[in-house]
Every structure is written in C-alpha cells, then in structure tokens.
Amino acid sequence: MKVTLVEVAERAGVSLGSASRAMNDQGASEAMVERVRTAAVELGYRPDASGRSLRMKQTKQIAFAVADIGNPVYVEMLSAIHETVSPAGYRVVVMQTGQTAHSTAELVRTMSAGIIDAMILSPLRLDDELLAALTSAPMPIVVIGRPLPEHGIDSVSTDSAVAIGMAVDHLIDIGRTHIGFINGPLDTTPGAARQRGFVSAAQQRLASEASPIEIADDFTVAAGLIAANTLLTRAQESGTPINAIVAANDLLAIGVIRAAKNLGLRVPEDLAVTGVDNTEIGGLFQPSITSVSLGSTERAHVAAQIVLERIAPDAGHGGEVRQAHIGPTLVARESTGAADPMLTSLNTTPRQSDGTPQ
Amino acid sequence: MKVTLVEVAERAGVSLGSASRAMNDQGASEAMVERVRTAAVELGYRPDASGRSLRMKQTKQIAFAVADIGNPVYVEMLSAIHETVSPAGYRVVVMQTGQTAHSTAELVRTMSAGIIDAMILSPLRLDDELLAALTSAPMPIVVIGRPLPEHGIDSVSTDSAVAIGMAVDHLIDIGRTHIGFINGPLDTTPGAARQRGFVSAAQQRLASEASPIEIADDFTVAAGLIAANTLLTRAQESGTPINAIVAANDLLAIGVIRAAKNLGLRVPEDLAVTGVDNTEIGGLFQPSITSVSLGSTERAHVAAQIVLERIAPDAGHGGEVRQAHIGPTLVARESTGAADPMLTSLNTTPRQSDGTPQ
DNA sequence: TTGAAAGCGATACCAA
DNA sequence: TTGGTATCGCTTTCAA
C-alpha cells in the first residue's frame, strides 16, 4: 500500500542513501537520478513528511494565530503571509487563539517542534503569562501588534492611538467638531490604545461635552450597531447632538452606519463616520468608509519576512530582537464626504478573491 | 536546548517506555505519572510532533484547499470546518489550489502522508487529470462542490442551477420580468451550473430578448462592476431596459449594485438584485443583498464530519462512497425590496468576528 | 506495572 | 559518486 524509499531503492537496485540523494538532487549521477526517479514513479512513491521532519528538524509549516479568522483584517493578513512564505516552500497553518490571553498562552505552550517551524501571532489581549510563554517558546515567534522589544520578542507594530488622532483631525478638517467615539473592549490591546488616542485628541482639539464615548462589547458589526444606537440617542436627548463618529475599526463603523440609517440620519451629510483597518469590505461598502489603514498587509508581509529570516539556518535565533514599525495612513472615502474612489481604486487594488464554490 | 523524552525519563529515573506511558496516561501507576510529569515540567519538556507522527502515522492535521481564501464563502467554510474538527484534536491547514484544474491536481499529488491526514477540497475547475489525482490519493479527500459518486469520491454537493432558478422565481414574484444575468467564467464548475440554471429558467419563464447575459472575468466585485455596467448600458441602448439582475454570487452582486449606482439607478426601485452564497458581507451591505444560500457552512460542516469518520481507525477507507446533498434556500433582503432583516438577524446570527489587531 | 528493544521513514555521515 | 549505517523522538510490543 504505502511505498517507502527503501522499496524504491530496491526496485532501482541501489542503496537507500543513493535513492535519497537522487530524489533530492544532492550529488548523484544522472544515470542514478534516472533510475531512481523511474522506480519512484512506477511504484507511486510519495515521500513521507514526518520521517523527513524528524530528521531535518523542520516541518516547512508556519502558524498564523489569531483570535478569530472571521475578521477580514486577519484574512488579508493571512493572504499576505501566504504570498510571502509560499515561494520559500512553507505552508501556513491557521490557528485560533481564543479570546483570552490565557488561551493564547496555552496555544503557544502546546506548540512544539514537529508541528510548525515558527509562528506569527496577533494577540487581542496580552498579559505576563502570555509574555512568559512567548519568551520561553522553542521556536521563532513574531508578534503583530504592539512593540515588545523590551521582552526580547520580535514584533511588527503600528500606532493605533495615532491612527485615531488622524481620524479626528480628518473630521475636524471637514468641519465636524462634535465627534463621538465607538470603541471595543478596553482590556484589549487595540481597545486600550485607541481609547488613549481618542481621549488625547479630544482633550487637545475638542470640547469634552461634545465627545461622547461608547464601548461596544466587541469589535463587531452587531456590537457597533448597538453601541452607536445608544450613543446617538443619548447625544440627541442631551441636547448636544454629534455630527461625526470615529469607530475603532471598520466592522464597528459598518454597525454605526446601519444605526444611523435606522435613526434616519444620512451618512455623511448628517453624520460623518470613520473606521480603522482600511479593510476591503469597508472600501466596498455603501457609502464607502473612510478608514485609517494600519498597514495590515504590509505588517503581515514584514512579519513573514522576519520569520523566514529567523528560520534560515545561518540567521538562527541568535540575532538581536527584530522590530518593525509601520505608520497609519488615512484613506478618505464617501462616509466623510470624499469623492467615491470606487472606480479608480478598482484599477489599483486587484486584491479581491477569485472563485466561488459551486 | 531541546528536551526529549529520554532526558525526562533519565531525570525521573525510569525507562523511556514508562515515561511515554506516563505522559499519555496509558497504563502507568499514579506514582509513575507523578514522577514523570514532575520531571517533564522541571525540564520544560515538549513532545516532538514529528517523532510521534512518524510512529503513529497520523499528523492530526486536515487540509482545506481552495482557489483563494479571500472569498468570504471560503472563510465561512473554514470556520465551520475548524469548529467541527477542533474538538477531535485536529488542526486545519489552509492551502491554495490556484485557479486551474492542473494546479489543483498538482497540489493533491504532492500531498503526502506526514503532512495531513485528510483533505477537504473545493475546486473551481475539474477535469480528468484532477479526478485521477483524487482517486489515487493516499488519504481521504472530500470534495465540496458537485456530486462525484461515480468516481468513488466523497462529496458534499448543492445544486446551484436550481439556486439560480429560485432567484429568477423570486424576481418574477415581485413583478420583475426583464431580468439580466451576470455570471462568472463558464469553464468553472459553478459558472457552468449557474449558466444552465439561468438559461433554463429564462426559457421557461421569460422572453429571451428580455434576458441578457454578461460573463464577468471572474467571481469578484471588480469584474461584476464592469460586466454589469456593460449589460445595463447595452440594455438601455437596445430599447429593452431591464429591471432586475441575477448575479452568480454575492461578490458579483455587490459590483452590480455599485454599477447601478454609478448609472443613477436605485436598488431595488429601478433595479432589483440577487446574489448567491448568502455571505455575511452580503447581508450587511447597504442595501442588504437578497441571496440564495448554498448552505456553505452546513456543507463544510458535513464534509468535516465525513473526513473525521474516514480518519477514524475502524471506519477506514473501506466504506462505501459518502455523498451528501444540501439544497439551496433563498433569503430575501433589501436589494429586492424585502424588509430590512438587519436588526432581527443581528440577534439570531452572532457569527461575526471578534477581535482586531492593534 | 515496568524495562528493554524494535522500528516508523527519511537524511547524513563515513568509508570505499 | 556510491553503499552501509547511525540517528532523529516517539510509541508499542514483548518479557519480566
């Protein structure tokens, strides 16, 4: 049933070692390669990866671990990682960390050699337990999120506090000064950073009574809809209505736009809305959503590059801590009154999936 | 650096075999388990998966292979597969098949033991080469797409020709009789099936001159926008304007709605639009998109179940060919004038991602 | 219940 | 360049 290299060697009438070399083009005569390859084809030989992994001490697999692959940002990151590591012969394994720092630490601890060669991790929450798991991990791990050089952990970061500030600036630029904020849970890394960003920007440039904040249960459309409904209703009743909302990510922003519609508010005329992440879905939404890009695909790409360098036999774990930073950039779209970039962007952003199941 | 079970055994003062048994709770005294576990923790032992895989002849990994993970349908399928196989201790590896049947066959052929235990495949195109690769594969493979029982291949299918017919019926029900069709490439399995479905429905229930068809370059928003623009413009010029469009999937439908807006057409008042796949993004779009569900998550779930049964030591490859079928269902939304199901659906469909990177 | 040893399938070393 | 053999880390059989 199962054909091993031993049988191929026997059939070709050569030694096991020669068969291995012939299959891998490692110093074998042409005649030898010919004989062995022929025998392999005749027998339908397929190399067994676990035997090879055991000996070579590498699996050619890289894990991408996130809280929930359902978020489009992660899908875009996954594609970027895929494209980066595939040419080097690596496969990508998607893993779910779960919501908590503990479950993430658990995942990191159970990842052993023989499954993956390295991991790219984008944790939602971070605590000492997880940091400890990361530093004691037996393989290269690159964190996408906030910078962690002081812990000796490779990271590719952005500054989402600054990102929120850019959104506020943009709204002020278009004449909106009553700006609300819809954030996700404050005990998450992105939630905390974005909260700082908004509070800081509001203090410097807005009147606090005109800057209400509402915390959604999580970073989802549904939670954003509920939170925005609460915030908008409350603002109207309090007599200081708002004319703009900054959402902590694009999914929340979609919820905000839905809530606005339910309340009879027009976007962007009555309410300007901004998101964060610059996801594809945000750009395709109607109205298309002005969003601050955190360079997700670039960060994923860089993280994948770092991983490949760490894996490389010579580079090894020895080098110094790698840290890359990618600054946010704002992309103005219809939800803040900018011209519809749909038609033009279609020509410049081919990134959209192919294929569909039957 | 790396701790093996041998070292754990030495530290615990027991034999290698006992250490193995203790770690796996396979007939070891409590005292033994205690000693070995303690030593393992002290040394920071992590089992090496390739050693185990080599011996056990299983990797606890299942591949999910698709043309492009960027399509939201595949993401939903991935989540369903993940949820189904995780409890059984299996990880999911995402693999890209590429666009062609040949590249897919290539992938199937290079998948050997030691990497994955089974594969769930949703191929865009299917030919004899791929069928041959599937039948001669050394591991269980379940195809999500069209039924393939005559080739002895497990499959979970739907009927997307019927799905298109349902969309046409729905449009006729709401009084639209001038219906265009935006399809994807006809040499794909879904493209061919949906073409049959529309042509058949149009012949039976519509005037052919009122049923123009346009083929988009692929199943994407961008291609849908271009194709819809062509079709709508042509229909207007020919003097037989249409008042509805059936799109072959939700991504194309989004493109159609964008094209309609660019031409000053209101959806659904001037143009009703339907999609296929019932993706989350379609339901969240504005207007929300009426779509025919092909039961993607259910099919993925069933495929994963079949795979688990095939993998199970007793079931084995021996059983007869498994074939499941899930019929399409139409979900009416705003794009065909139905009431906005957004608020109510939010309570019943919690499926939306959590988390966002910093 | 425990210990000793065989063996999974591949690569890589050392002689020839 | 080729053959013979040790070895990767683990599970599992066979005796004790």
Side-chain angles (χ1 to χ4, degrees), chain A residues 46-47 49 71 82 99 109 112-113 146 194 218 220 225 258 277 284-285 340 346 353-358, chain B residues 46-47 49 71 96 99 109 112-113 146 194 218 220 225 258 277 284-285 340 346 353-358:
Chain A
R46 316 208 182 186
N71 190 320
H82 214 290
Q99 293 295 311
R109 275 194 295 265
S112 59
R146 66 184 179 86
R194 289 163 207 197
D218 49 32
T220 63
L225 171 55
R258 275 277 170 185
D277 277 344
L284 296 171
F285 203 72
D340 186 358
L346 275 174
S353 98
D354 269 305
T356 182
Q358 172 164 5
Chain B
R46 315 206 183 189
N71 190 320
Q96 308 257 129
Q99 291 295 312
R109 274 194 295 265
S112 60
R146 66 184 177 86
R194 290 163 206 197
D218 49 32
T220 64
L225 172 54
R258 275 277 170 186
D277 277 345
L284 296 171
F285 203 72
D340 186 358
L346 275 172
S353 97
D354 269 304
T356 183
Q358 173 163 11

Side-chain angles (χ1 to χ4, degrees), chain B residues 50-130:
Chain B
S50 44
R52 171 180 288 156
S53 293
L54 178 58
R55 186 62 223 236
M56 310 245 295
K57 303 203 155 299
Q58 58 163 334
T59 61
K60 288 285 181 180
Q61 293 196 145
I62 294 171
F64 179 47
V66 295
D68 185 346
I69 191 64
N71 190 320
V73 181
Y74 294 138
V75 177
E76 293 174 13
M77 287 183 171
L78 173 60
S79 294
I81 293 169
H82 215 290
E83 286 165 15
T84 308
V85 304
S86 286
Y90 284 86
R91 286 177 297 277
V92 180
V93 189
V94 178
M95 294 180 176
Q96 308 257 129
T97 62
Q99 291 295 312
T100 67
H102 177 71
S103 60
T104 307
E106 196 71 14
L107 176 72
V108 171
R109 274 194 295 265
T110 56
M111 275 308 96
S112 60
I115 299 178
I116 54 173
D117 295 340
M119 176 184 275
I120 297 171
L121 173 70
S122 188
L124 201 52
R125 295 176 171 86
L126 207 53
D127 64 5
D128 289 342
E129 181 195 9
L130 178 52

Side-chain angles (χ1 to χ4, degrees), chain A residues 85-103:
Chain A
V85 305
S86 286
Y90 285 86
R91 285 176 298 277
V92 181
V93 189
V94 178
M95 295 180 174
Q96 309 257 128
T97 61
Q99 293 295 311
T100 68
H102 177 71
S103 60

Side-chain angles (χ1 to χ4, degrees), chain B residues 224-242:
Chain B
L225 172 54
I226 294 168
N229 190 65
T230 303
L231 185 145
L232 288 168
T233 308
R234 185 151 40 75
Q236 275 178 324
E237 289 170 352
S238 71
T240 55
I242 59 175

